[in-house]
Amino acid sequence: MELNKIKPYMNEFLQETAKKDRMAKDCGMDLEKYNVAFVSVWPGPVRTELINAELALKTSSLTWLFEHGETTEFTGKCIASLLLDPKIMKKSGQVLLSSDIAEEFGLKDVDEKHPVSIRSVKGMLGGSGALWIADYIPSFIKLPKWLFFILGSLAKTPVKKDASKYA
């Protein structure tokens, strides 16, 4: 698997994620009367075993993004912190980024690093291949959440030219 092969599927991923985020909002509203919190957690770039094997080859423009991403355990640490949060009901129905949860609770990944936020300018530049400037941008410069989620919801799946319009 090449990391560059992921890019064509990002739009579809974002569209499917938007549906799940809408479900989180609806469930959060429905379950509030039972004092049950329901959130959608977005992890950042996750260094799975497959991704780590690909990173060893250093052949992708996404290498920087995943090298600065999170381990598979990081989202679990974030969810555990949310479970212990006495103000969890205020977050019910929301979409939460793992990097924002970590920032709120002062979490580090299991390798003692702070994974890059997918809404940080640093992460966007590094993921796009602008490495020469990404390392000089502070991690705290981020897109506002409302703008990040609007841009994500505008993602469109490219139409294949040879595909039937009736399929």
Side-chain angles (χ1 to χ4, degrees), residues 1 8 12 25 32 34-35 37 48 58 61 65 69 94 96 119 129 134 141 147 151 154-156 160:
M1 179 191 120
E12 292 174 17
K25 184 162 185 65
E32 186 177 22
Y34 302 108
N35 202 32
T48 63
K58 304 246 185 218
S61 62
L65 190 61
Q94 293 183 23
L96 306 172
R119 68 181 183 96
I141 300 175
L147 180 58
L151 292 174
L154 295 176
K156 295 186 176 146
K160 295 178 185 174

Side-chain angles (χ1 to χ4, degrees), residues 70-90:
E70 56 194 59
T71 63
T72 53
E73 294 90 351
F74 187 68
T75 302
K77 288 179 76 168
C78 293
I79 292 170
S81 295
L82 285 173
L83 288 171
L84 299 173
D85 185 6
K87 300 175 188 170
I88 186 65
M89 287 308 296
K90 291 183 180 178

Side-chain angles (χ1 to χ4, degrees), residues 49-64:
E49 290 84 0
L50 188 61
I51 295 293
N52 284 334
E54 184 68 26
L55 289 178
L57 302 175
K58 304 246 185 218
T59 59
S60 171
S61 62
L62 295 174
T63 299
W64 184 94

Side-chain angles (χ1 to χ4, degrees), residues 94-107:
Q94 293 183 23
V95 176
L96 306 172
L97 302 178
S98 60
S99 56
D100 291 342
I101 296 168
E103 190 176 302
E104 179 182 350
F105 293 105
L107 301 175

